[in-house]
Every structure is written in C-alpha cells, then in structure tokens.
Amino acid sequence: MRLLNLGILAHVDAGKTSLTERLLHSVGVVDELGSVDAGSTRTDTLALERRRGITIKSAVVSFAVDDVTVNLIDTPGHPDFIAEVERVLGVLDGVVLVVSAVEGVQAQTRILMRTLRRLRIPTLLFVNKIDRRGARYDELLRAVAERLTAEIVPMGTVTAPGTREARFVPGIGPWDVLADHDDELLSAWAEGGVGTEQLRGALVAQTRQARVHPVFFGSAATGAGVPELITGIKELLPAADADPEGPVSGTVFKVERGPAGEKVAYARLFSGTLGIRDRVPFGAARTEGRVTAISVFEDGTDTPREAVRAGRIAKLRGLAGVRVGDALGEPRKDHGHFFAPPSLETVLVPGPDTDSTALHLALTRLAEQDPLIGLRHDEERRETSVSLYGEVQKEVIQATLAEEFGLDVTFRESSPLCIERPAGTGAAVWFNKKDGNPFLATVGLRVDPAPTGSGVEFRREVELGAMPYAFFKAVEDTVHETLGQGLYGWRVTDCTVTMTHSGYSPRQSHAHQRFNKSMSSTGADFRGVTPPVLIDALRRAGTWVYEPVHRFRVEAPADTLGALLPALAALRAVPETTETRGGTGTVEGTVPAARLHELEQRLPGLTRGEGESESAFDHYARITHGNVPFRPGPTRKS
C-alpha cells in the first residue's frame, strides 16, 4: 500500500472545500455530499467555519484509491490564514491547486504557485466551476500560462462550458512542454514516433519531479472531471518518501486541545516508527515527552494505533509542551518561512467584565496553535497587541475568544506592522567591573547592515573556548530577543550582530563556603548586559523604519478609471500598469498596507459597486516622508 500526503490549496472561494467533499463522496468515504453553504462539510468542523463558510484551520481526512492511501489536508484559502497553509507545506508529498474557471488566476493563486514551484512540490491544477456562467477554457489556460507557469500540460478539453451540461473530455495535449525536459522524447517527436506509453511515462516522471503541472478541468458541484482528477492523483503524484527503519524524525504542523484540555499534536513522520510509551525529543529545547496515545487517519476517520510508521500523519497525545513547527526526534532541514510575515497589528481591548488572567491564558493557547499571531505585551500600558494578516483574522480571533473561552474583547483600529533596518554600522562594549557595569560580564557587540531578506545572523569574533558555552548561548538568545523591538519600537531585521568582546568572572567561593554568585558570573549576567550593549550599538548605527507595501490589482468598468486613479493617488498608491479591454479597465500597482483597507472600502463607491480588487504583500519601503511611526515599548529612541 502506497501513502500520499496530499494538500488542497486555492484562493478563497475557488471551491477547494467543495472539491474535498466531492473527492470523499466519489471514493465512498461519505454517502452524502456536504455543503459549504449549509455548514455540513467533513473538513470544516469549527462552528465559526460553518457559520462563515470559509476554512480557518487545516483539517486531515483519509481515503483509499486502489493501492494508494491518501491523507488529504484541506487548507484555508483566505489570505488572512496563509500561516495555516505555510505549516502544512512542509509535510506534503503533492498538491492539488484549485483555480476557478470564472474568477481565474487570483492573487493568492499566484502566491501559492510561486511557493510550490520554489519548494518543488509536485502539483496538479484543477480548474473548478466549469458549469458556472462565465466559465472559460482557452482564455483561462492562457492566463495560467502567463500568470502562474508556462510548464502546464492540459489533460483534456471542456464541452459546453458555463452550463450544467459542461463536461471534461480527457486527452493529453498539447504536450510539447514535456519534450523541453526530455531529449529522448524530443528525438522521438522529431522522428514522428512518439508512442502513448512513452508520452505517459514522461508525464509521470516530470510531474513527480515538479517540472510540469497537469491541468484538469471539472466541477465540484456536478462531479464533472473529478474521476479523472482522482486517477491523476493516484498515478501522477509520488508516494511518501519514508524509511520506517530509520531514526525517528517528524514535524508537528497543527496543535489543538482535546476534550480535557490536553494537547493533541498533528505530525508527519518522515523516518522511523513511533509507538505508545516511547519517549521523543521535540522543539528547539529538545524537551523529551512520552507519547501516551496515537491515532492515524484511515477510511475517513482517525483510528487508534499502537504505533505510527514513517510516511503517515498521526495525532499524538502526551507531548505537553509541544508547539506548531516543532521537530520530533532528529530535526530536518529548516526551510524558514515560505510566505511574508503579518503586515498589520492591533491592540486588544478587554470588555468590562473580562478577567485579564483568563484572557492571557486564552491568548497563549491561541499562540500555541498559531505562532504567527505574534502576541506582544506592554506591561507599562497593560496592553496586548496581536499581529494580523487582515481584518477577517481579527474577526475570527474575536469570535474564537467569545465562543471557546467566553471572553469579550474588541480591537483598536489596525495599524501597519513596520520593521527597522540598520542605517550603518555601530559597536559598543561593556566591561566586567568597569564604568558602573552592574553585571559580572564583558560583552561587546557590533551591528552591521545585511542584504534585504536575510534576517538576523549572529557571529563571534571571540574564541568559543574563551568562556563557558552557556554564556555565549545566553548572549545569542538575548540578541534575537532584544531585536524584537528596535530604536523606534519595531522588529529589527536584515542585520549581522557580531560578538567582539567577551569576559567573565570564574566560579569562586570563600574558603569552606558554598558557591558565591556575587563573585562569579552566571547566565543571568550575560542576559542582563546584552540588551543595553546591543541598544548602544544600534544607536550608533542608527536605524531606518520601513512600512509594508502590498501589490494590488483592481478591475472596474473602464469609464470609472477617471475617478479611480486620482483616488488611488490620494491613498499613496502607485499605479504601474493601466489597461482597458472592452468595457473593463485593469489597474495594477502598489499601495501602503496602512491604506489598503481604505481602498477596499472606497472601491464600491468609486466603481458603481462593480469594482473588484485583490492584493498581497510585496515588499517593505523605507519611510522618507512625514513623521516616522513610533511603537511604544520599553526601548526608546533617544
């Protein structure tokens, strides 16, 4: 029996969850089709998901196709929940990327496809909604080739698109893209001797290598094209790469709470076999936990098992301190973040009867399930800030706190989440027992700018053996923590921090007495001295503040562009291309994240209610005009 861990990805409203439901119905897992509108789908289990008709949390369901067991992971399509998608990508063997035949290639579709190609995850495309009015075939294939990837192989054609009678007619072609990656196929083609078997073999091999992407058409509503897609999933996507006899190695991609409040970790096991009562290290601290219960996904449900073997996805209990993203056993290569970080921030406002301790506990639990929530507590102002991808995420957090924890909160208006980058080089050093240094530690640090997107790198110019390793580790960890809030209060990134000086007081005690920490350095001394040294170095380097900027695309009646373009300019948007085709005008460009919500609110009034927009984070731009935004907190600009 082969295993395949399959992700279903899409832009919101492309029909991803409906396709998941149709797949489960087609293979016999469910007897009756669930409906997103009715809130009866198998994978949208949260009350909030059913009420809003969107996927918020990834969900796993399993089914068999002949000799292949498929663990299908339904992921959110709304861009506000892109972090949930990011966590899933690292555990997948293949993907079905869903595109709407009506709306076509959208912002989120492009972001997802770009990431899938960068990670070289084998991907099939399924063009959904061929039965809807406005569905397209030739035009949509051109859009896919132009805006997603030219490396596509249509797996058939569509008859009667845009009607309930729309059908998918299988047949490979045109397939010349396969010859671009296969010299033998190219030679056979030139000699006029390409056989069906050779063509199919090239398609399978190149799809599994993520060189080409087969495109299927169909309808989750009518079932058209779904049998062909299921065959494609079984034959074209690769089986899980797994070594059951190797050392235990896995990744936690989801954490939820069980009925008794216990943590339940969803993990993909890449190597080894993990059994009940086994102890396994996890997380950065390599804490050991004992597995108390295991269940694997089979035949549409999760089934208790004594052990889980490599290749499978399992639910594990007993790992009390586990968090999303933790490695189990031997860590695998960390690919970092695939998508842009949140670009907005808001402050929670507790209701008059909301208990602050209960709120803190609830937020901590939410952060366990979603590390990119990014909680920030300001003790002076007694405020808690939350990082956001968008306004829908704010509504979901509010509803979750009310429904699951009984807590009433509101939010202040969202503001852009800026970053700081060093403007130059700065260095500082505090010496042990000199100039009023209250800590028994010598630390010198130099801050240098680094290339955009490089993050933070810590280096040492001092010998590792110059003092105990635990002291070096205390400095490194504290550097990363301190850079969470720079001179203007924003996270500092794209820099190299080099340790230039080190020193400590060796372990001492008075004769016949116990260890005297007032005479000997401890890790607390290095954790205490590092922040002021680093801030001194940052002040000497100076920092610039950068605001998040989104790329937008607006489609509206052509005769409304005259009113739309000046309004965009007033929002500090920069139109880069303007195109008119027929009666429709398209404007693409960039807009500061701070003005994006206002653009979305004003668009209906500027376009007679006919305008449509899509956007996605693009880059950070240095703020060179007006007042530089300052974020309150313990670190102040002096």
Side-chain angles (χ1 to χ4, degrees):
M1 178 70 77
R2 293 192 302 134
L3 286 169
L4 168 63
N5 296 298
L6 176 72
I8 304 288
L9 278 60
H11 187 100
V12 66
D13 290 335
K16 171 183 50 59
T17 299
S18 297
L19 176 61
T20 298
E21 198 70 18
R22 174 62 71 173
L23 289 170
L24 296 178
H25 182 265
S26 297
V27 298
V29 169
V30 296
D31 296 327
E32 186 175 341
L33 278 172
S35 165
V36 173
D37 294 336
S40 57
T41 59
R42 186 65 175 265
T43 52
D44 284 347
T45 56
L46 297 177
L48 192 58
E49 291 177 314
R50 295 177 182 274
R51 188 167 66 250
R52 293 188 63 102
I54 61 173
T55 301
I56 296 170
K57 295 291 183 183
S58 58
V60 184
V61 64
S62 181
F63 61 87
V65 183
D66 297 333
D67 64 337
V68 180
T69 295
V70 179
N71 287 323
L72 187 151
I73 307 179
D74 184 20
T75 62
H78 199 288
D80 282 15
F81 308 108
I82 192 68
E84 193 74 19
V85 179
E86 178 173 84
R87 291 189 279 275
V88 168
L89 289 181
V91 305
L92 299 178
D93 304 307
V95 163
V96 173
L97 180 61
V98 184
V99 182
S100 168
V102 180
E103 288 83 8
V105 175
Q106 297 171 280
Q108 187 83 337
T109 324
R110 296 199 300 274
I111 292 170
L112 292 170
M113 190 65 189
R114 186 165 60 242
T115 305
L116 291 169
R117 296 194 72 203
R118 179 164 64 88
L119 297 175
R120 300 197 67 80
I121 298 177
T123 301
L124 310 181
L125 276 71
F126 183 77
V127 180
N128 192 25
K129 303 184 181 180
I130 63 170
D131 58 315
R132 299 283 185 88
R133 179 180 299 177
R136 299 159 291 163
Y137 175 75
D138 291 329
E139 182 184 344
L140 194 135
L141 273 178
R142 285 195 299 273
V144 167
E146 292 171 2
R147 303 183 68 190
L148 288 185
T149 172
E151 308 297 312
I152 57 172
V153 180
M155 298 300 292
T157 58
V158 176
T159 61
T163 71
R164 293 291 291 181
E165 289 72 40
R167 294 292 180 269
F168 179 63
V169 182
I172 302 177
W175 49 267
D176 50 300
V177 67
L178 293 172
D180 293 341
H181 303 291
D182 188 327
D183 291 340
E184 290 185 11
L185 187 63
L186 183 61
S187 298
W189 183 22
E191 297 169 4
V194 177
T196 302
E197 188 173 333
Q198 183 180 11
L199 193 60
R200 187 74 182 181
L203 176 66
V204 171
Q206 294 186 33
T207 301
R208 292 181 177 181
Q209 295 165 1
R211 291 188 172 189
V212 301
H213 307 286
V215 183
F216 297 82
F217 284 75
S219 167
T222 67
V226 173
E228 290 79 9
L229 175 64
I230 292 173
T231 300
I233 290 171
K234 180 185 72 171
E235 296 180 354
L236 300 178
L237 294 177
D241 182 15
D243 176 14
E245 305 305 320
V248 170
S249 178
T251 299
V252 176
F253 64 92
K254 177 179 178 177
V255 173
E256 64 184 17
R257 293 276 178 170
E262 76 281 13
K263 281 190 179 181
V264 181
Y266 288 66
R268 159 79 188 266
L269 206 61
F270 294 96
S271 173
T273 299
L274 190 61
I276 295 177
R277 293 179 294 280
D278 284 354
R279 299 190 69 85
V280 60
F282 60 86
R286 311 310 293 152
T287 304
E288 271 204 356
R290 186 187 298 276
V291 178
T292 59
I294 296 173
S295 56
V296 300
F297 293 90
E298 292 179 346
D299 300 324
T301 187
D302 52 298
T303 306
R305 286 285 183 270
E306 288 294 312
V308 55
R309 291 166 60 86
R312 282 196 174 275
I313 289 174
K315 293 168 69 173
L316 307 175
R317 286 176 165 81
L319 308 179
V322 75
R323 294 176 62 90
V324 168
D326 280 354
L328 300 178
E330 288 198 2
R332 291 165 54 82
K333 180 181 177 182
D334 184 7
H335 293 285
H337 293 306
F338 307 134
F339 302 110
S343 59
L344 297 173
E345 185 176 55
T346 186
V347 174
L348 282 90
V349 181
D353 299 322
T354 299
D355 179 77
S356 59
T357 302
L359 178 59
H360 178 78
L361 178 61
L363 290 171
T364 301
R365 286 196 173 187
L366 289 183
E368 289 172 353
Q369 300 170 23
D370 186 355
L372 291 182
I373 278 182
L375 299 177
R376 188 177 74 97
H377 302 286
D378 185 336
E379 295 297 336
E380 292 181 15
R381 291 171 174 75
R382 296 182 179 275
E383 292 178 348
T384 299
S385 301
V386 180
S387 306
L388 299 170
Y389 280 96
E391 297 300 315
V392 173
Q393 189 182 9
K394 182 193 293 186
E395 298 172 23
V396 168
I397 293 173
Q398 183 181 33
T400 302
L401 289 173
E403 295 176 9
E404 294 188 16
F405 301 95
L407 299 172
D408 174 32
V409 301
T410 56
F411 296 93
R412 292 183 193 162
E413 185 177 351
S414 301
S415 58
L417 197 53
C418 300
I419 62 169
E420 293 180 49
R421 291 176 176 142
T425 294
V429 58
W430 284 26
F431 290 100
N432 187 4
K433 301 178 182 177
K434 290 185 178 180
D435 301 323
N437 179 1
F439 304 102
L440 294 178
T442 294
V443 170
L445 298 171
R446 186 179 67 247
V447 177
D448 296 292
T452 299
S454 60
V456 176
E457 182 182 2
F458 181 80
R459 297 176 179 173
R460 287 184 298 269
E461 285 184 352
V462 292
E463 291 291 334
L464 189 58
M467 64 181 187
Y469 174 75
F471 294 165
F472 284 114
K473 188 68 167 63
V475 172
E476 181 176 358
D477 290 347
T478 307
V479 162
H480 286 283
E481 181 181 338
T482 305
L483 290 179
Q485 196 165 24
L487 303 183
Y488 293 90
W490 307 103
R491 176 175 62 91
V492 182
T493 187
D494 299 337
C495 64
T496 301
V497 179
T498 304
M499 190 171 182
T500 58
H501 297 73
S502 68
Y504 74 108
S505 295
R507 183 181 179 95
Q508 299 179 38
S509 64
H510 294 293
H512 310 297
Q513 292 182 356
R514 294 183 178 181
F515 166 66
N516 187 344
K517 67 179 180 181
S518 69
M519 300 173 60
S520 310
S521 298
T522 66
D525 289 302
F526 287 90
R527 288 190 293 272
V529 76
T530 297
V533 174
L534 182 54
I535 294 304
D536 279 354
L538 273 178
R539 287 195 178 110
R540 292 185 171 102
T543 61
W544 288 323
V545 177
Y546 293 73
E547 66 177 337
V549 176
H550 285 237
R551 179 159 295 279
F552 73 88
R553 185 173 189 270
V554 172
E555 286 190 3
D559 61 353
T560 66
L561 293 184
L564 180 60
L565 291 172
L568 290 172
L571 296 172
R572 291 174 44 217
V574 180
E576 295 176 355
T577 61
T578 303
E579 180 182 352
T580 301
R581 183 176 298 177
T584 302
T586 303
V587 182
E588 295 191 27
T590 58
V591 62
R595 312 305 293 272
L596 183 62
H597 188 52
E598 187 177 351
L599 168 61
E600 294 169 346
Q601 288 181 316
R602 295 189 60 188
L603 188 61
L606 293 167
T607 61
R608 300 191 299 270
E610 299 179 49
E612 296 181 357
S613 69
E614 59 184 50
S615 64
F617 173 85
D618 191 68
H619 67 282
Y620 288 98
R622 182 183 163 196
I623 297 176
T624 57
H625 55 276
N627 295 324
V628 176
F630 177 76
R631 186 192 199 196
T635 303
R636 301 272 181 164
K637 176 72 176 175
S638 62

